[in-house]
Amino acid sequence: MNLQSPVSMGGRSLKMYASRLEKLGINTLEDFLFHLPSRYEDYSIISTIGEVQAGETVTIQGKITEIKNQYLRGRRIKTIQKAIVADETGQIELVWFNQPFLIKSLIEGSRVSVSGKIELSKKGLSISGPVYEILYDNQSNPIHTGRLIPVYPETKGISSKWLRRQIHNIFDQHEVEIREYLPDDLIQKNSFLDYKTSLKEIHFPSFLETAAKARERLSFDELFLIQLAANRRRNAWKEQNLITPFRVSEYRNNVEKLVSSLPFKLTDSQQKAINDILSDLGKNKPMNRLLQGDVGSGKTVVGAIAMYVTFINGFQSVFMTPTEILAQQHYQTIYKLLSPFGVKVEIRTGSKKGKALSVKGKERKTLTPYPLPLTPDILIGTHAVLSEKIKFKKLGFVVIDEQQRFGVAQRGIIRGKGENPHLLTMTATPIPRTVALTMYGDLDLSYLSEMPMGRKIIKTWLVPPEKRNPGYEWIRKQIKETDSQVFIICPFIEESESMQTIKAAKGEYERLSRDIFPDLKLGLLHGKLKSKEKDEVLSKFREKEFDILVATPVVEVGIDIPNATIMMIEASERFGLAQLHQLRGRVGRGDKQSYCLLFTDSEFAQNSKRLKGMETLNSGAELAELDLRLRGPGNMYGTAQHGIFKLKAASFGDTNLIQRAKNEADRIFPNLDKYVKLQEKVDTITLEKISPD
């Protein structure tokens, strides 16, 4: 058996725990070792009972001389378990609540190690709710007491104590399989602990200082291996996928004519991104680039210019989006920009016969049934473009919007419809630069850091509870006087018992319709609606059949309602800044002044630097960096997002370690084949959630 084996202990199947462990990301023995502690309890002071004092947190060891259940009636606490533990210096009472099973395991005469805080009452000293373990055969090195004790991320049915035991057993049974793989010179240069010691010390540390050194080593390893895997993928992409370069320089005049026809001036960062992309298209190796920019920064236009260059070189392009609404929006934009230059643009979605139902008028005539192979110069669509029915004559360029919404297999399918086509992926998710270096290490990166000329800044206010009703009146006035439309965002679909104070979309829709805005038309949108129902609601909102759309964060990506000017967000403290910024970007799409109202009933949030940052910062990148500093990487994106890579040991906030790992990876990579053990370790690393295939 090796560390990649499915979880099992001593031949006993853990099937009953499989689903619970999967929630913690534990599928193999190695996953257990990399399920790292979130903190430690210090039970390292071992004392005799006669020496303990009230207020101390200590470990005592002795024999149980008495244990019993005490039953109570009509109370929340049904039973109390009381035990007496004695050593040669005295005795002390232990107390637990509602754990009647203890009397079957902690029998009289058992030798135990017990940790907890010493309390003083009229009856004397005691420990309430102590951590305990039975000591067998004169055992002197306990796992759960008498030392620094790791506390792990848990889930229902999986406790830290249970995890601690499994991890300890893995070290006992598989220690020989834990082998060093880093080069000796790298370990010495960075003063790292060896690999085996690092794993032992992070789970069962001798001191907090060694636990910190162990985490540094394992964090470096994680970042270093990711960088090596990214370097190898980047190298393979460039070495194996040779193509005929596009003719770029001789078509510069064509590009300039297209740019001069635009009804706006390109920003400097758009121009730089276009130059980077055109440079890539002129090489004999396919482009693999990520374009990151805020909502409204002009990513679609950059992609359209690249697709135009593809067209004049005699190749086809495909533009894949995660939703039908977004596909329709891109179709309208790209058709308007490029059809005057002779570019044939078509759309395919999951709608009947592959046609987008809301495309109307003259543009509808450009839609045809599925020809084999397809003849348009540019095909825009959702997952429908992955269909086996859709083939291309000469696919040369692939654009994937909001790439984190697509899996590796899907990205591979679309690229497989051509012979090594160029790949441009785009995202509006604000990503700190350090995170991008790690998540997208095998991609070339371009950033759109400016907004187009004339785009008005969205005025953002953090609204205290006492101004809620005046806020509602202001919203009504804006709708009546300026013919504006409003988004109201709630974090959940329905209320839950555990979060009754948090406003949910369904309940708010009913309350607002009945009590606050009975004179206005409201719509409801959430993730449990079917795709067709979502599209119908959004179409009605776009056609102004609703004044207000109450929704969950399902509107975060790909919804363009030019007439919407107000974004109101309930329980704003529950969202990451990147997500709040994405939601804010749903308004301000037209020429009217737009607003974002952040509502919160949390007194702490009222003075939060994080939410106050939304009032003064308008750059997604700056907000993402602020969120990284204030909340840490685990909370940076608010709710979970597809494609966001979760580090096990390292932190995206450790910029110094990220840079060190990158530098070492760049130094070693050209000679990676000389390090057999390291190369084998890199083989186990997957970038599936880090970057496109």
Side-chain angles (χ1 to χ4, degrees), residues 38 45 75 102 181 193 197 208 260 262 279 287 334 344 370 396 421 452 475 500 503 513 606 628:
S38 53
I45 297 176
R75 298 185 183 183
L102 288 180
Y181 55 84
L193 298 177
T197 300
L208 286 175
S260 64
L262 298 175
S279 175
M287 176 175 66
I334 294 169
K344 187 178 181 182
Y370 288 114
I475 288 173
Q500 291 181 348
K503 296 183 184 302
S513 300
Q606 289 300 309
L628 183 60

Side-chain angles (χ1 to χ4, degrees), residues 265-295:
K265 183 180 178 181
L266 294 175
T267 64
D268 290 341
S269 57
Q270 278 179 310
Q271 192 61 63
K272 184 180 185 306
I274 290 167
N275 290 337
D276 289 341
I277 291 169
L278 295 184
S279 175
D280 289 346
L281 296 178
K283 297 176 181 177
N284 66 345
K285 298 168 185 176
M287 176 175 66
N288 192 18
R289 183 172 291 276
L290 172 68
L291 179 63
Q292 192 271 326
D294 282 352
V295 173

Side-chain angles (χ1 to χ4, degrees), residues 40-48 51-52 56-61 113-117 131 133 140-150 204-210:
Y40 300 93
E41 294 283 4
D42 189 353
Y43 296 146
S44 59
I45 297 176
I46 301 177
S47 176
T48 58
E51 293 177 331
V52 300
E56 288 183 321
T57 298
V58 298
T59 296
I60 59 171
Q61 295 178 349
S113 181
V114 180
S115 298
K117 187 175 182 179
V131 177
E133 61 187 307
S140 59
N141 56 338
I143 301 171
H144 312 293
T145 58
R147 61 191 306 160
L148 287 168
I149 303 301
F204 303 106
S206 308
F207 307 98
L208 286 175
E209 292 78 9
T210 54

Side-chain angles (χ1 to χ4, degrees), residues 181 228 232 672-684:
Y181 55 84
L228 282 176
R232 184 160 68 177
L672 182 59
D673 57 348
K674 295 182 180 179
Y675 303 96
V676 177
K677 292 180 182 177
L678 178 58
Q679 193 168 23
E680 290 175 352
K681 193 70 176 177
V682 175
D683 290 341
T684 68

Side-chain angles (χ1 to χ4, degrees), residues 27-38:
N27 298 292
T28 68
L29 300 183
E30 187 172 62
D31 290 337
F32 266 115
L33 296 182
F34 278 89
H35 188 70
L36 303 183
S38 53

